[in-house]
Amino acid sequence: MTKLRVHNLAVSIDGFATGEGQALETPFGHAGGRLMEWFFPTSTFVSMSGHDSEAVGSGTRGVDDAFAAATNRGIGAEIMGRRKFGPQLGAWEDESWRGWWGEEPPFHSPVVVLTHHTRPDLAVGETTFLFRDLPPRDALALATDLAAGQDVRLGGGPTVVRDFLAADLVDHLHIVVVPIVLGRGVRLWDGLEGLEERFDLEVTASPSGVVHYVFTRR
Amino acid sequence: MTKLRVHNLAVSIDGFATGEGQALETPFGHAGGRLMEWFFPTSTFVSMSGHDSEAVGSGTRGVDDAFAAATNRGIGAEIMGRRKFGPQLGAWEDESWRGWWGEEPPFHSPVVVLTHHTRPDLAVGETTFLFRDLPPRDALALATDLAAGQDVRLGGGPTVVRDFLAADLVDHLHIVVVPIVLGRGVRLWDGLEGLEERFDLEVTASPSGVVHYVFTRR
């Protein structure tokens, strides 16, 4: 049975999953890369980003990498919010924006982009983006079809994850708490009082200073 | 040299150090005992609370107890906010309230209670409460005198800890992150953006599900 999974969702110790002031040059706002610094040294990231061409097998292989490596395993489709796809707001002024990821995005699968402003499907490399105005349950039904028996990844941002958690649609939630106080931005946990009652939890501290929380729906 | 230390300050994963609705019957508001459930089974708590009379040496002795046991070590005085001393607000209607702790409070040392509404010093068992209207730096100077060469513990609540952190007066900060989403209450981290830059950090996950953060001022 298809599961809905969240991986590598980093939040600051004060609960912000992205900083303030997202824009083309600052996709994470004033947080910059600080929420993902645990991720960049991992073997998984080094391979994904193509920096590995001259150093096969480089990157760390500790607990951070073990979690990072689970991200793509058995995934057949992704659901993401429009703010993950791009910095624009409102109606599309033109359709030249093709995402942050260049001509071979790292998804290699259908991606349902949730937006009130639909546009035609967009194929970039092995990834097809489908822009849809759907509530969480319907978006999951569509992505489940597209995943063809594999799991669906809920790719963020935090507002989208919060909506799906509120609707109790998330089976696997991997949160990475980063020991920085961001102070402002988008909060992950708002409106989710008592969330822990619906999940089993395993907690692992990494030598890098981050803590991995794995919530599994009961 | 006297250090200012915070121990066992529990916060929910969404950053609340106490719940909403503090009152005589609910000193932690809607959080109830949930922020301290990791603490109650420890040998340290069992001994402190006098439940140990028939079972000397009972209680857990794992990592949670190791941290709990450090609370009183080398402490000569405490600073606390008025809300830790009692649930009343505003001027004292009478002075019959002698704290939550009965006739032998667990402090056994002078305690500076920060309040805009002073009242005469109050001796209860081995503890003397001094009610003072002082800014953080002056409160620390007074408590340092009273501690006579030992350290001063900053006992909370969260608003008081936040004020002392903002004034950069805290040397040792032990935070316990509890994996529950409280949703409402008093936030610990507000106004402390970039706090991590002033501290070294060690992180330890406990099998109980809580995570111990030890911040040491650089």
Side-chain angles (χ1 to χ4, degrees):
Chain A
M1 217 193 81
T2 296
K3 304 274 190 191
L4 183 62
R5 293 160 38 192
V6 176
H7 288 270
N8 304 329
L9 180 54
V11 301
S12 62
I13 197 168
D14 54 337
F16 294 100
T18 194
E20 200 176 66
Q22 194 199 28
L24 183 58
E25 290 76 25
T26 52
F28 298 96
H30 84 293
R34 289 182 289 157
L35 286 172
M36 294 311 278
E37 267 169 20
W38 65 276
F39 181 63
F40 299 141
T42 62
S43 173
T44 298
F45 178 76
V46 171
S47 321
M48 273 172 54
S49 55
H51 298 152
D52 204 22
S53 51
E54 294 177 16
V56 174
S58 68
T60 65
R61 294 185 180 274
V63 64
D64 293 337
D65 184 57
F67 279 106
T71 310
N72 294 318
R73 202 179 293 147
I75 292 291
E78 166 153 334
I79 299 169
M80 67 169 63
R82 180 181 175 179
R83 299 284 277 171
K84 179 170 174 183
F85 180 74
Q88 305 84 2
L89 290 173
W92 300 98
E93 295 189 8
D94 62 68
E95 290 169 7
S96 60
W97 177 262
R98 294 160 63 83
W100 304 95
W101 304 279
E103 287 310 304
E104 191 53 80
F107 307 103
H108 311 287
S109 72
V111 174
V112 178
V113 180
L114 295 176
T115 171
H116 298 307
H117 302 276
T118 57
R119 55 183 259 193
D121 296 354
L122 171 68
V124 186
E126 294 174 18
T127 300
T128 300
F129 296 98
L130 299 88
F131 303 87
R132 296 289 189 277
D133 187 5
L134 293 171
R137 196 166 297 272
D138 297 341
L140 178 55
L142 170 60
T144 300
D145 274 354
L146 294 166
Q150 297 200 84
D151 285 348
V152 174
R153 188 177 47 231
L154 184 58
T159 310
V160 170
V161 172
R162 214 162 53 204
D163 290 347
F164 280 72
L165 284 169
D168 197 21
L169 296 174
V170 176
D171 297 292
H172 171 95
L173 175 66
H174 169 226
I175 300 288
V176 185
V177 175
V178 179
I180 61 175
V181 180
L182 266 186
R184 52 212 158 93
V186 180
R187 292 190 191 273
L188 175 62
W189 303 109
D190 279 9
L192 297 177
E193 181 179 337
L195 178 77
E196 70 280 359
E197 294 165 14
R198 298 191 261 127
F199 290 86
D200 293 320
L201 176 61
E202 190 186 301
V203 184
T204 307
S206 162
S208 69
V210 304
V211 178
H212 298 273
Y213 288 82
V214 176
F215 293 85
T216 305
R217 189 156 64 151
R218 289 190 179 136
Chain B
M1 214 193 82
T2 295
K3 303 274 189 191
L4 183 62
R5 293 159 39 192
V6 175
H7 287 271
N8 304 329
L9 180 53
V11 300
S12 63
I13 198 169
D14 54 338
F16 294 100
T18 193
E20 199 175 67
Q22 195 198 26
L24 185 58
E25 290 75 24
T26 53
F28 298 96
H30 85 292
R34 289 182 289 156
L35 287 173
M36 294 310 279
E37 267 168 22
W38 64 274
F39 181 63
F40 300 140
T42 62
S43 172
T44 298
F45 178 76
V46 171
S47 322
M48 273 173 53
S49 56
H51 298 153
D52 203 23
S53 51
E54 295 178 16
V56 174
S58 68
T60 65
R61 295 187 180 272
V63 65
D64 292 337
D65 184 58
F67 279 106
T71 309
N72 294 320
R73 202 179 293 147
I75 293 291
E78 166 153 333
I79 299 169
M80 67 169 65
R82 179 180 177 179
R83 298 285 276 170
K84 180 171 174 182
F85 179 74
Q88 304 85 1
L89 290 174
W92 299 98
E93 296 189 7
D94 62 68
E95 290 169 6
S96 61
W97 177 261
R98 293 160 64 83
W100 305 96
W101 304 278
E103 287 310 304
E104 192 50 82
F107 307 104
H108 312 286
S109 72
V111 173
V112 178
V113 180
L114 296 175
T115 170
H116 298 305
H117 303 275
T118 58
R119 56 183 257 193
D121 296 354
L122 172 67
V124 187
E126 295 174 17
T127 300
T128 300
F129 296 98
L130 299 89
F131 302 86
R132 295 289 188 278
D133 187 5
L134 293 171
R137 196 167 296 274
D138 297 341
L140 179 56
L142 171 60
T144 299
D145 273 354
L146 295 166
Q150 296 201 83
D151 286 348
V152 175
R153 187 177 47 231
L154 184 59
T159 310
V160 170
V161 173
R162 213 163 52 203
D163 289 347
F164 280 73
L165 284 170
D168 198 21
L169 297 173
V170 176
D171 297 292
H172 171 94
L173 174 66
H174 169 225
I175 300 288
V176 184
V177 175
V178 179
I180 61 176
V181 181
L182 268 186
R184 52 213 158 93
V186 180
R187 292 189 191 274
L188 175 62
W189 302 111
D190 279 9
L192 298 177
E193 181 179 336
L195 177 77
E196 70 281 359
E197 293 164 15
R198 296 192 261 128
F199 290 86
D200 292 319
L201 177 61
E202 190 186 299
V203 184
T204 306
S206 162
S208 68
V210 305
V211 177
H212 298 274
Y213 288 83
V214 176
F215 294 84
T216 306
R217 190 156 62 151
R218 288 189 180 140

